[in-house]
Amino acid sequence: MIKASAYTFKILRYDAAEPGNAPRFATYRINVIPGLTVLTVLLRIREELDGTLAFRSSCRSAVCGSCGMVMNGEIGLACRTQVATFESDTIILEPLPNLEVIRDLVVDLTPFWQMYEKIQPYLIRQSPVPDKEIPQSEAERQRIDQFVNCILCACCYGACPVLAREPGYVGPAAAAKLARFVLDSRDERPGAALETVDDEKGVWACDTVFRCIDACPKEVRPTDGIVDLRKAILKHRFHKLLGKSEP
Amino acid sequence: MIKHDILIVGGGLTGLRAAVGLCDRFDVGLVSKVYPTRSHSIAAQGGINAPLANNPDSRDDTWEKHTFDTVKGSDYLADQDAAELMCREAAPIVYEMEHWGCPFSRFADGTIAQRPFGGAGYPRTCYSADITGHVLLNTLYERAVAKGVKIYPEWFVTALSIEAGQCHGVVVLDMRTGELIPVAAGTTFFGTGGYGRVFQHSTNALINTGSGIGMAYAAGAPLKDMEFVQFHPTCLIGTSILMTEGCRGEGGYLVNNQGERFMQRYAPTAMELAPRDIVSRCIQTEINEGRGFEHPLGTYIQLDLRHLGAQKIQERLCGIRQISIDFVGVDPVDEPIPIRPAQHYSMGGIDVDIRCASEVRGFYTGGECSCVSVHGANRLGGNSLLDTIVFGKVASRTIGEDPEVRTRRPDERALLKLKEEVERTLRKLASPGSERPALLQAELSAMMSEKVGIFRTREELTQALQKVIEFKERYRSVGVTSAARHMNYELTGAVELGYMLEVAHTIVLGAILREESRGSHFRLDFNTRNDADWLKHTIARMGSDGSPAISFKEVTITRYEPKERKY
Ligand SMILES: Cc1cc2nc3c(=O)[nH]c(=O)nc-3n(C[C@H](O)[C@H](O)[C@H](O)COP(=O)(O)OP(=O)(O)OC[C@H]3O[C@@H](n4cnc5c(N)ncnc54)[C@H](O)[C@@H]3O)c2cc1C
């Protein structure tokens, strides 16, 4: 429900190019109507009130993953968050945590993408491919469904308490991506490929407090993936111990 | 200055496919103004066409039939050799994407699932639920990571360098540091996507400004068939977010305020699955004649999915359901979705041949920014994702076979001169001006939606032309708030607006000249197709006065003689 005809937006502003100027909140009053999203408000501020406001946006329909941020303490995508869903008529917008701010709501995603690249985020095959598709049953396809839905928005990365204290942690999104491949019936990566996440900065670091699940705008459950990976790693260790070759 | 043998601009499906095809053998750099997975390709929903014959109803489907549907759908403006090439390559590239890990939905027999789409004789649209663009783009990005493609994310290309008939590279703005960097390359490929944001009501992402098309044109490369703009029939009221054609492919109905499935009056055989140009005109006609529903966000028509049942909606159209709930508060399981047509796709674009080569040495393009032409006057649903991957691949082949690819030297002086020009432009844009770029863009796009829409007349198009010229004049007074160059989205937006005005100019002029109705271009004052005078492509070049000069090019006809389109 809309609480007032005009809302107050407080946006955390900071420019890493001017480190001397400490972060500060800028305040804007905006008229609102039902259905208005936070992204629309941000666009309106930049277009009409303050051309210097920096934030990312692209698809405006919750599929490209550009506009993750903190809105009144909750992490989510600005484009699918309606102003009316907040309890108050003051809305505080802050950049995603666990990442350095470049400018205003734009954070440096380099560490996020580094983790993504580290886990070998692609299908690995050993056997030759057939002329047509590699068969996959509906149930096998179903198994990876939730992980396939990840839009790499980094909301989970921002929400993760482990990353807050251990920046080298692989993080929920990269782990979920790895699970997406390990669980794919067509993937043939050797068990040894799991060793990249088999340490205290890998999947064992997860506290399983499920903040990533709460933050995900796409109903992905990275913790499920982490649990699956732990199982796969144990299986791999067991095989290694017995000196058996991989199944 | 940075140098690569091959520079690719665009991290969407087209650019990534081109890069993946070249990076093993050549020194390739890929520049994109957003992280590749934020590209608009991510938003594609319904699917990609290929005659795999997996669906029990499509066992005798072939690439020839696919070609025929494409040519007929194009209202015979597609070049038939190009359409044939695309359809021949369709099955191989879908299998290739699958082998690279693309998680398509599956039939019970383990094959790739296929659904019916508009204007197609067979159910040949391969899909992954309603997130087909998402899975394809992720798969290609994954391949690019696997192959170690050198990617420069958040590098905004400000201008293209063409001099003496050769392309020398681009000048980019590194958005993070704000630095202007010339990128020299003997070969430049554009996969920069469409121009949807030139229209107010569009399904396209906010980043789809068409700046790539505009800067190629401004640099001297000709554009083709710009008057052909696709309006998608089913877009959510208010935001114009797409409700995929897959909704109708899965059996959805279109219903007016009389409770009537009105398509039976217009296309009794194909019904809701007639091609997009036709369905959009029908919906607009229903609305214009008072048979729409009223809503504060505008008059609409209902897209009714309820009879499909909750389970099918959840399984096959889960994203659509969520968008509908999030953005208009309507759960399609219980209520019809309120929709109306909106701009969706750019059939026209940078003029290239069937090998993706433009007339400029060393400059190639593919995907939505280009016009080969495979879509002619109207693109079929599911053929654009196909176009992006096929022609990304074709371009990589053409470029890879070019004997000069390693030896062609870009003229670095030309590039440095261009950098100075861009420097001046940016400085001018950052000096005080009376026009706010976003507001001028809003006026432009509102005008385009109003006067250059589904139904066109000479009178309105002439007004539109005057408006564009007036906006171009006003653009000279545009000023942005801050001169800082890093993450200054107002500044990059202002640069893009300059190119959007050029794109709009070519669309309007092409639409005025084309005195016939063909595919998406419908003139109320010339309401039939006229093959005798107009079975030809329009080519727009920037004239010396800065306005487009239009010439014509023959359409390639191989085996399908133009006939009347009936569905
Ligand atoms: C909502 C929606 C749904 C769709 N569904 C389907 C479907 O189901 N089936 C189908 O066949 N088609 C569909 N389409 C069409 C299809 O998705 C697009 O035509 C296609 O994805 C375009 O791909 P592309 O590679 O040409 O461009 P894009 O994916 O748009 O990529 C363009 C790239 O160029 C870069 N770029 C642009 N300008 C610059 C610049 N100045 N500097 C630096 N980089 C720049 C961008 O960063 C981006 O990486 C849909 C379209 C929409 C809008």
Side-chain angles (χ1 to χ4, degrees):
Chain A
M1 276 286 280
I2 294 282
K3 315 297 168 302
S5 62
Y7 273 45
T8 302
F9 288 83
K10 294 188 170 178
I11 304 179
L12 191 61
R13 313 265 332 240
Y14 175 69
D15 187 347
E18 294 173 13
N21 296 333
R24 63 183 175 86
F25 278 100
T27 303
Y28 307 91
R29 291 278 292 173
I30 298 286
N31 289 333
V32 299
I33 49 161
L36 192 72
T37 64
V38 172
L39 178 61
T40 313
V41 169
L42 286 169
L43 288 165
R44 212 197 278 166
I45 292 173
R46 182 155 77 206
E47 288 169 4
E48 295 169 21
L49 302 176
D50 187 344
T52 66
L53 182 66
F55 56 90
R56 293 184 174 105
S57 64
S58 175
C59 76
R60 90 227 182 297
S61 56
V63 293
C64 79
S66 295
C67 62
M69 61 184 67
V70 184
M71 297 165 281
N72 277 0
E74 301 262 341
I75 293 181
L77 298 177
C79 72
R80 66 169 276 193
T81 305
Q82 296 200 1
V83 168
T85 55
F86 294 102
E87 292 299 322
S88 107
D89 60 5
T90 296
I91 297 177
I92 298 172
L93 305 178
E94 294 161 291
L96 276 184
N98 294 340
L99 294 155
E100 303 267 317
V101 173
I102 299 175
R103 194 169 176 182
D104 300 338
L105 300 171
V106 177
V107 291
D108 180 5
L109 289 164
T110 312
F112 174 81
W113 290 108
Q114 274 169 349
M115 287 306 167
Y116 168 89
E117 289 182 19
K118 179 180 147 182
I119 56 95
Q120 297 185 291
Y122 36 84
L123 193 82
I124 298 178
R125 294 278 295 174
Q126 317 281 348
S127 34
V129 289
D131 287 341
K132 295 189 168 185
E133 63 270 64
I134 306 165
Q136 184 170 53
S137 72
E138 286 175 289
E140 287 166 340
R141 170 64 181 79
Q142 195 61 39
R143 198 143 61 112
I144 56 173
D145 205 45
Q146 62 146 324
F147 304 117
V148 161
N149 288 337
C150 168
I151 58 172
L152 300 166
C153 62
C155 284
C156 60
Y157 196 98
C160 176
V162 181
L163 275 162
R165 58 172 194 267
E166 173 50 86
Y169 171 45
V170 64
K177 181 60 80 177
L178 180 56
R180 173 248 172 278
F181 288 104
V182 170
L183 297 176
D184 190 322
S185 58
R186 301 166 298 169
D187 193 81
E188 298 171 339
R189 69 189 61 215
L194 293 171
E195 286 165 16
T196 44
V197 295
D198 182 11
D199 59 25
E200 74 288 1
K201 290 187 177 179
V203 292
W204 305 106
C206 173
D207 283 347
T208 54
V209 291
F210 309 117
R211 294 280 160 69
C212 52
I213 295 178
D214 296 340
C216 179
K218 288 287 166 184
E219 291 173 39
V220 182
R221 300 169 51 85
T223 326
D224 291 358
I226 290 171
V227 170
D228 286 323
L229 290 174
R230 286 179 179 174
K231 283 189 207 151
I233 286 171
L234 292 178
K235 208 160 114 191
H236 166 63
R237 282 194 201 157
F238 187 64
H239 281 290
K240 234 167 79 172
L241 213 65
L242 297 183
K244 276 208 243 167
S245 62
E246 297 292 335
Chain B
M1 182 172 309
I2 285 188
K3 297 177 197 177
H4 285 287
D5 285 344
I6 301 167
L7 167 70
I8 290 175
V9 182
L13 287 169
T14 314
L16 287 172
R17 184 62 187 82
V20 161
L22 288 162
C23 66
D24 289 340
R25 292 169 293 152
F26 302 99
D27 160 36
V28 176
L30 185 148
V31 168
S32 171
K33 66 181 175 182
V34 293
Y35 279 95
T37 63
R38 321 288 186 222
S39 303
H40 189 56
S41 293
I42 203 80
Q45 301 171 349
I48 177 168
N49 295 339
L52 307 185
N54 288 347
N55 189 305
D57 296 333
S58 72
R59 292 294 181 228
D60 54 346
D61 197 9
T62 59
W63 65 261
E64 287 95 336
K65 289 174 180 162
H66 185 185
T67 308
F68 171 71
D69 288 343
T70 301
V71 169
K72 181 180 172 193
S74 82
D75 224 347
Y76 294 89
L77 192 68
D79 287 325
Q80 297 184 6
D81 54 345
E84 176 175 326
L85 169 72
M86 177 174 83
C87 299
R88 270 177 188 272
E89 290 275 353
I93 65 103
V94 166
Y95 290 135
E96 181 178 69
M97 290 300 294
E98 197 278 333
H99 295 161
W100 285 345
C102 186
F104 286 105
S105 292
R106 300 289 173 148
F107 280 139
D109 65 356
T111 58
I112 294 171
Q114 296 188 280
R115 60 164 54 119
F117 244 47
Y122 293 87
R124 67 167 74 93
T125 305
C126 310
Y127 63 90
S128 178
D130 54 7
I131 55 163
T132 313
H134 168 90
V135 297
L136 290 170
L137 188 63
N138 270 285
T139 303
L140 269 181
Y141 184 62
E142 289 156 8
R143 253 329 88 179
V145 169
K147 284 174 170 279
V149 173
K150 174 71 193 155
I151 294 175
Y152 302 91
E154 305 199 308
W155 276 30
F156 171 73
V157 176
T158 59
L160 175 71
S161 168
I162 297 178
E163 219 162 88
Q166 188 187 326
C167 179
H168 307 290
V170 300
V171 175
V172 304
L173 178 69
D174 177 344
M175 294 174 69
R176 179 172 181 158
T177 63
E179 196 188 346
L180 263 190
I181 305 172
V183 185
T187 299
T188 301
F189 174 80
F190 267 24
T192 52
Y195 55 63
R197 287 290 140 191
V198 167
F199 288 80
Q200 177 185 21
H201 302 293
S202 171
T203 60
N204 284 200
L206 301 171
I207 62 168
N208 278 27
T209 59
S211 60
I213 301 174
M215 70 181 71
Y217 167 74
L223 308 183
K224 184 158 72 197
D225 291 342
M226 290 297 284
E227 61 273 29
F228 293 102
V229 180
Q230 180 162 81
F231 297 88
H232 196 290
T234 58
C235 312
L236 213 56
I237 51 163
T239 52
S240 300
I241 295 174
L242 182 72
M243 298 286 109
T244 173
E245 191 161 306
C247 294
R248 285 168 289 138
E250 295 293 348
Y253 299 151
L254 292 171
V255 180
N256 64 17
N257 72 8
Q258 313 288 303
E260 179 200 16
R261 273 179 78 187
F262 54 86
M263 283 309 297
Q264 68 199 17
R265 277 188 275 118
Y266 301 96
T269 316
M271 294 290 285
E272 278 86 356
L273 286 178
R276 291 178 178 172
D277 55 334
I278 295 175
V279 182
S280 286
R281 279 196 290 277
C282 298
I283 293 178
Q284 197 59 52
T285 304
E286 292 298 303
I287 290 176
N288 292 351
E289 294 180 356
R291 289 188 292 278
F293 299 83
E294 296 304 327
H295 189 283
L297 293 171
T299 313
Y300 69 87
I301 286 294
Q302 292 182 336
L303 172 62
D304 196 349
L305 305 181
R306 288 173 299 179
H307 56 285
L308 302 181
Q311 191 188 347
K312 193 165 180 186
I313 292 175
Q314 189 54 33
E315 265 170 36
R316 310 254 178 101
L317 300 165
C318 160
I320 289 303
R321 180 177 183 203
Q322 197 57 51
I323 289 171
S324 181
I325 293 173
D326 284 351
F327 290 90
V328 286
V330 167
D331 185 342
V333 170
D334 305 319
E335 277 177 89
I337 309 173
I339 55 91
R340 57 181 300 154
Q343 191 283 344
H344 180 60
Y345 184 78
S346 330
M347 265 81 69
I350 303 164
D351 176 30
V352 291
D353 64 18
I354 190 172
R355 299 157 49 251
C356 295
S358 75
E359 65 171 39
V360 177
R361 262 194 343 137
F363 182 53
Y364 303 81
T365 78
E368 195 172 336
C369 72
S370 72
C371 180
V372 171
S373 136
V374 285
H375 310 301
N378 172 61
R379 167 177 78 84
L380 293 187
N383 263 357
S384 167
L385 292 176
L386 180 62
D387 166 3
T388 61
I389 303 179
V390 166
F391 286 99
K393 181 176 173 185
V394 166
S396 70
R397 203 185 294 148
T398 305
I399 294 169
E401 288 168 1
D402 175 358
E404 290 184 9
V405 68
R406 281 180 229 271
T407 53
R408 189 166 38 235
R409 291 278 150 259
D411 178 351
E412 293 181 6
R413 274 190 324 213
L415 202 56
L416 289 174
K417 201 178 86 196
L418 184 65
K419 185 191 166 204
E420 286 319 307
E421 271 172 43
V422 174
E423 184 64 53
R424 276 197 297 278
T425 306
L426 295 188
R427 237 179 278 141
K428 170 138 194 326
L429 284 173
S431 58
S434 49
E435 297 277 353
R436 287 198 93 117
L439 300 185
L440 186 55
Q441 180 180 332
E443 271 190 65
L444 167 70
S445 61
M447 184 283 287
M448 290 295 285
S449 275
E450 191 194 318
K451 298 196 188 300
V452 197
I454 296 177
F455 292 113
R456 303 170 170 180
T457 62
R458 170 191 292 277
E459 198 191 344
E460 285 194 313
L461 291 171
T462 312
Q463 291 164 0
L465 184 64
Q466 269 150 13
K467 279 285 180 193
V468 170
I469 293 168
E470 180 196 313
F471 292 148
K472 277 175 129 173
E473 195 49 45
R474 281 169 56 190
Y475 179 71
R476 294 157 171 271
S477 317
V478 160
V480 302
T481 319
S482 158
R485 301 228 171 126
H486 62 290
M487 294 299 171
N488 186 342
Y489 291 91
E490 195 188 30
L491 179 64
T492 50
V495 173
E496 297 206 87
L497 175 59
Y499 292 125
M500 294 172 89
L501 287 162
E502 300 297 349
V503 167
H505 203 163
T506 61
I507 296 172
V508 173
L509 197 61
I512 291 182
L513 290 182
R514 190 173 282 276
E515 293 187 331
E516 67 158 350
S517 290
R518 181 185 298 272
S520 67
H521 172 69
F522 197 92
R523 287 279 300 256
L524 288 168
D525 43 355
F526 296 92
N527 62 7
T528 52
R529 197 173 84 196
N530 173 356
D531 287 340
D533 299 320
W534 285 104
L535 184 56
K536 54 190 178 189
H537 301 294
T538 52
I539 302 290
R541 270 172 214 281
M542 188 182 265
S544 47
D545 63 346
S547 298
I550 306 272
S551 57
F552 303 99
K553 217 178 206 176
E554 288 306 303
V555 173
T556 308
I557 297 198
T558 55
R559 55 171 106 185
Y560 309 103
E561 270 310 308
K563 283 207 237 90
E564 197 197 339
R565 272 164 92 217
K566 280 218 172 78
Y567 288 95

